[in-house]
Each structure stands twice: as structure tokens, then as C-alpha cells.
């Protein structure tokens, strides 16, 4: 079984400040980890992924995420937040082993609000 | 490329009515998925398909049916709609090889009254 937890329903930051959106996961095999962003009345859009290699992954719009195997975490970060970053963020995990048919499990989402 | 296209965008149903949500992708993806998104919740997998003629249940399949007669199309049918099926439905696809990323449609907002 695989699962994802996003412990914060909401994160508020001021524009220009760094932001962190937290995610922890559980899988049986190797984790494939993803961050997606959802703007109002839109589908989810891919931000970044970790499969293997460097623990620090860089993605779209200046976002990055750090994979920490010992803490089973994959927190999303950005050094300087923009008002336009305000959206709903989802962490997702997929077990890289076995015939899971590509099925991803999503967290409940974290609403990021960046205030001017 | 249009990507993943869902229709309709909005629909209101009465209890007991039936309807089909359409999903089409033009990326020749093998794997397709239907998720539902309830307020304050993540996406829950309803059904998925690994190729034409092959479908399987996800986490929350009750009250829904799917078919996959072609690679491009993966319609989701709601039989005997219930208020608990009020949700936003997302169709998504990936190639199925490697750690590929899901491509989502824009969603279909369904209200059952």
C-alpha cells in the first residue's frame, strides 16, 4: 500500500519570503514522488518529480523539492514566493516497483496563499 | 495537441438519472484514469485502464462504470446518480512506461440534486 500526508491544509507567506509545503509518504518499494499544482477551476499541472539521483529536484516556476529518504519526506520549496504562486498544491506518490499500473496516490492538498 | 479533453465541464443531475462523462486523449497514451476530487480532499481513483479493452477498479468504484474500446477514449458512466456523487471529476493519462507524469483534463463538475 502507498499513502501520502500533507500535514498543513493551508500555508500563508508574504511575497518575497521563502515558502515550504510539506509532504510525507509511505510506499513498499522505491518511491516515485510528484508535486502538482491546481489553479482555480483548472486541472492539475505537473511541477516536478523525484525518481532517483540527486535529492534536490528543480522544477517549473522556480520550485524545488528535497527528497529525504530517512524522514520519508518530499517537501516543496521556493526561495522567494510570488502572489501568482497562490494555488492548491498536491503531493503524489507511486510505488516504483511491481505492476501498480502507474497508479498514483495523492495527498489532500495544501492551499498556498501568498500575500503582497 | 489538445492533450486530455473532458466533456461536459458542468452538469446538474437529478437523483436517479444517468449520464456519461467523456474523456479523450490525443497523445497515444496507454494508461488512463478517472479521479474524483471532493472539497478539502485529495484525488481518489475511481477506475483505470492500461489499454484498450482492459479496465480495473480503483479506490472508489461503486456507482460507476467504464469502458475502453479505443486507445483515445475512456468514458465514465454514472448509473442512478446519488448526491454522494457530487464532485469534480478528472480524467488523466500517461504512457505507462517509466516514471511518467500524469496529464490531466480540465475537469467536469457534477452536481446531483
Amino acid at each position: 500500500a502507498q499513502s501520502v500526508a500533507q500535514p498543513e491544509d493551508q500555508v500563508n507567506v508574504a511575497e518575497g519570503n521563502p515558502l515550504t509545503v510539506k509532504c510525507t509518504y509511505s510506499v513498499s518499494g522505491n518511491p516515485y514522488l510528484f508535486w502538482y499544482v491546481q489553479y482555480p477551476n483548472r486541472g492539475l499541472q505537473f511541477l516536478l518529480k523525484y525518481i532517483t539521483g540527486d535529492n534536490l529536484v528543480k522544477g517549473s516556476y522556480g520550485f524545488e523539492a528535497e527528497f529525504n529518504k530517512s524522514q520519508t519526506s518530499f517537501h516543496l520549496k521556493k526561495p522567494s514566493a510570488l502572489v501568482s504562486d497562490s494555488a492548491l498544491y498536491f503531493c503524489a506518490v507511486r510505488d516504483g516497483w511491481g505492476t501498480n499500473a502507474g497508479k498514483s496516490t495523492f495527498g489532500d492538498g495544501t492551499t498556498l496563499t501568498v500575500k503582497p | 495537441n489538445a492533450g486530455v479533453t473532458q466533456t461536459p465541464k458542468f452538469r446538474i443531475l437529478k437523483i436517479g438519472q444517468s449520464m456519461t462523462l467523456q474523456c479523450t486523449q490525443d497523445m497515444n497514451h496507454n494508461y488512463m484514469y478517472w479521479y474524483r476530487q471532493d472539497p478539502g480532499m485529495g484525488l481518489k481513483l475511481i477506475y483505470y485502464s492500461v489499454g484498450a479493452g482492459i479496465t480495473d477498479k480503483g479506490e472508489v468504484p461503486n456507482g460507476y462504470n467504464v469502458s475502453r474500446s479505443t486507445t483515445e477514449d475512456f468514458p465514465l458512466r454514472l448509473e442512478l446518480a446519488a448526491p454522494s456523487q457530487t464532485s469534480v471529476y478528472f480524467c488523466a493519462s500517461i504512457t505507462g512506461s517509466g516514471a511518467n507524469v500524469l496529464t490531466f483534463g480540465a475537469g467536469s463538475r457534477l452536481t446531483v440534486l
Side-chain angles (χ1 to χ4, degrees), chain B residues 5 14 18 21-22 30 37-38 51 53 58-60 67-68 70 73-74 76 79 86-87 100 104:
Chain B
T5 302
K14 294 183 179 179
S18 300
L21 299 177
Q22 301 292 344
N30 296 324
Q37 181 183 29
D38 299 321
E59 291 179 79
V60 290
S67 59
R68 184 95 182 269
T70 66
D73 299 312
F74 190 42
L76 176 71
E79 306 282 2
T86 294
S87 190
N100 281 303
F104 284 86

Side-chain angles (χ1 to χ4, degrees), chain A residues 36-57:
Chain A
Y36 292 86
V37 61
Q38 185 181 30
Y39 297 101
N41 301 313
R42 304 285 295 276
L44 278 69
Q45 300 174 30
F46 169 72
L47 271 182
L48 50 79
K49 67 180 179 182
Y50 171 83
I51 305 304
T52 187
D54 195 345
N55 289 345
L56 185 63
V57 178

